[in-house]
Amino acid sequence: MSSPIDEDAPTLATVAATSIGLLSDATGPEVGYPGLDGTGDVEDVLAALSRMAGDLQQTATQLTRYLDDEVAAGHLTRAPGSTDQNARTVAAAMHALTDVQENARTLARLLTTAETAMLALRPGG
């Protein structure tokens, strides 16, 4: 793949979703956990997923800002009572993105907690 700046956001989101699907396959019991070879691997996966959750939070924040900018530019409206059909849709999307930000923050915290707990399984831990 080229530099991320050379790719459009939907393409990168598709790559990310595909990667998570492959990760799910690599950690699946039905095929003998092919991508895991010890608790250190679990720790590494948890650390990477925690970083991903932080990045997901940032992406949701940036998508919210984009929608704000589109509203400010007059391309979209979210004003309550607006006759514009997009108002409810934009408001719902912005509310959902706020929820994504909060949930991604929680996910990152929980993944870090799980990773920290895994440290106790290290020899001498």
Side-chain angles (χ1 to χ4, degrees), residues 14-63:
T14 299
V15 169
T18 300
S19 295
I20 291 298
L22 293 171
L23 176 61
S24 181
D25 293 344
T27 57
E30 59 281 349
V31 290
Y33 309 101
L36 300 173
D37 187 28
T39 58
D41 286 346
V42 173
E43 203 177 302
D44 292 344
V45 169
L46 291 169
L49 289 175
S50 180
R51 286 190 308 274
M52 181 210 61
D55 290 344
L56 183 59
Q57 178 186 349
Q58 180 63 30
T59 299
T61 299
Q62 291 169 180
L63 290 172

Side-chain angles (χ1 to χ4, degrees), residues 54-124:
D55 290 344
L56 183 59
Q57 178 186 349
Q58 180 63 30
T59 299
T61 299
Q62 291 169 180
L63 290 172
T64 301
R65 286 182 188 147
Y66 173 79
L67 290 175
D68 271 337
D69 289 348
E70 289 294 292
V71 168
H75 302 136
L76 297 171
T77 183
R78 64 173 176 195
S82 170
T83 57
D84 188 333
Q85 291 180 320
N86 291 331
R88 277 188 235 144
T89 303
V90 172
M94 303 226 2
H95 179 75
L97 285 167
T98 298
D99 288 347
V100 168
Q101 292 168 43
E102 293 170 12
N103 285 298
R105 185 174 18 261
T106 299
L107 179 60
R109 181 181 48 78
L110 292 170
L111 288 163
T112 298
T113 299
E115 177 193 0
T116 301
M118 292 300 300
L119 293 173
L121 296 176
R122 284 186 177 180

